[in-house]
Amino acid sequence: MGSSLYFFALSRKNNCVAIKILNGYASQLNREDKLQELKVLQRLSCASPSPLPAETSTHSGRLLTHFYHPGIEEDGEHLCLVMKLLGSDVQAFRENLPNHGYLPLPIVKRILRHVLLGIAHAHARGIAHTDIKPDNIMMDLGSSWTTEAITAWLQANPPQTHPPERSLNKMVTSFVIQSLPHPSISELASGTFRLADWGSAQLVDHQTTDDITPLGLRPPEVVLSHDWDESVDIWTYGCIVFNTLTNRPLFKPMELPEKNATEEEVLLYQMISFCGEFFHEDFLRKSARSLDFFFLNCKLKKFDRYGRKTFQECINDSGFPFSTEEIEEAAAFMHKCLRLDPKNRASAVDLLKDPWLAS
């Protein structure tokens, strides 16, 4: 079971909202400041500082209010976060699209620009999301989804429950996960997208864990136990650019028994091969785990040869109908994000000025 559940609710102002209910353990960690979701959402709910565009705050999480609800038995109190009700996530609606989840390029750029606006807003407030992935990018409900329309949909699709189960000393009934209908292509073309689920977010100046980001999206400084900051989101965003274009992951960490190589070692090899650069001595010297993977000459221990596969080739191999110019521009944009040394990556504000994303 996860650490939280989401529910629809009707607010006192007769608006539909989403309530994220954290389990007792996660709620206590928030009280102890070991998890920072409440504090992060409170910061995000403030307006963007100048000189960021005012629209940045509309593409990240926004907390309407919060409260605590008593738990049953020994579970303790539940922190309940009241937020704007959102629609489908990118991962979910792509699975329902024809042609292997391909999205037209203007929609891809719209999604990526909105996500980047959300990242810029977070970074300006000293927050790193640390868990950017397709199922954490969600679409605002369109204007047709009024409170009346949602109420009618709920009446036509009433909540369903699983059979009751025993939990310690009581019987509990859990609800079946149900989602609103997925958007059409025309709705996506004019939709608003938000970076959602800030449960793993970190205050950059008060980090509580280094265990961040799924392995295939994890930046090299985290893999190698180097100091990290908000630029971890820029690396992950670069991976998401490729995924949103092609509906495929860029990095595919896997074990290679013939080389006795672990998933992390294969991932580091792929980083070197795709990014077209090597790790520098200064960076590795400041990384606590570098000697687990590298010789003193900065070469990987398990790989004596390095193949080169450019971002252009990776995009072209996806089989989607991109022009040569589009591939070149997208690859150049990815290269600004996917630099092995985080100090060489572009900032979110700089990326917003890139002509490929603005076109």
Side-chain angles (χ1 to χ4, degrees), residues 2-6 20-23 25-27 29-31 33-42 44 60-63 79 81 83 122 127-133 135-138 195-203 206-209 211-214 228 233:
S3 63
S4 60
L5 295 171
Y6 283 92
K20 183 177 182 178
I21 304 175
L22 276 63
N23 65 21
Y25 179 65
S27 300
L29 290 180
N30 268 273
R31 282 190 180 277
D33 206 25
K34 294 176 181 176
L35 287 178
Q36 302 176 328
E37 187 168 12
L38 175 58
K39 185 178 291 185
V40 163
L41 286 170
Q42 288 171 329
L44 289 173
S60 60
R62 184 176 182 188
L63 183 70
L79 173 59
L81 305 170
M83 294 174 286
I127 296 165
H129 186 284
T130 80
D131 194 25
I132 301 170
K133 53 187 179 182
D135 41 352
N136 283 341
I137 302 170
M138 304 187 74
L195 185 54
D197 197 347
W198 297 81
S200 299
Q202 298 274 309
L203 301 180
H206 184 58
Q207 299 167 10
T208 61
T209 180
D211 184 16
I212 60 172
T213 314
W228 60 270
D233 287 341

Side-chain angles (χ1 to χ4, degrees), residues 82-282:
V82 183
M83 294 174 286
K84 178 181 175 65
L85 181 61
L86 300 175
S88 300
D89 64 75
V90 169
Q91 184 67 26
F93 68 64
R94 290 193 81 148
E95 292 173 354
N96 289 271
L97 292 174
N99 193 19
H100 308 289
Y102 169 72
L103 287 169
L105 191 57
I107 294 177
V108 169
K109 291 184 180 183
R110 185 178 186 87
I111 293 171
L112 292 174
R113 178 170 177 79
H114 288 185
V115 171
L116 191 56
L117 285 164
I119 294 173
H121 178 68
H123 289 184
R125 310 205 74 78
I127 296 165
H129 186 284
T130 80
D131 194 25
I132 301 170
K133 53 187 179 182
D135 41 352
N136 283 341
I137 302 170
M138 304 187 74
M139 184 178 175
D140 272 5
L141 294 175
S143 58
S144 60
W145 283 102
T146 61
T147 299
E148 293 74 20
I150 294 174
T151 302
W153 184 87
L154 289 171
Q155 290 173 344
N157 300 271
Q160 302 176 34
T161 59
H162 295 286
E165 297 179 353
R166 180 166 294 280
S167 172
L168 296 179
N169 301 321
K170 295 186 179 182
M171 296 298 292
V172 296
T173 300
S174 59
F175 286 89
V176 176
I177 296 175
Q178 294 173 260
S179 302
L180 291 168
H182 296 302
S184 65
I185 288 291
S186 61
E187 289 172 324
L188 293 174
S190 59
T192 299
F193 301 88
R194 289 178 181 259
L195 185 54
D197 197 347
W198 297 81
S200 299
Q202 298 274 309
L203 301 180
V204 175
D205 60 357
H206 184 58
Q207 299 167 10
T208 61
T209 180
D210 295 325
D211 184 16
I212 60 172
T213 314
L215 183 58
L217 301 171
R218 191 171 297 163
E221 62 268 32
V222 178
V223 176
L224 295 171
S225 294
H226 190 285
D227 290 341
W228 60 270
D229 57 21
E230 67 275 7
S231 63
V232 295
D233 287 341
I234 302 301
W235 175 276
T236 307
Y237 176 76
C239 299
I240 296 303
V241 170
F242 180 83
N243 179 270
T244 312
L245 282 166
T246 67
N247 202 23
R248 296 182 180 185
L250 177 60
F251 298 107
K252 303 170 186 174
M254 64 189 81
E255 294 181 355
L256 282 183
E258 65 270 23
K259 288 187 172 290
N260 194 28
T262 65
E263 288 183 318
E264 288 178 314
E265 288 167 324
V266 172
L267 176 61
L268 291 167
Y269 171 80
Q270 292 176 346
M271 289 175 178
I272 294 170
S273 298
F274 296 166
C275 297
E277 58 179 331
F278 291 99
F279 288 96
H280 293 297
E281 180 183 357
D282 182 64

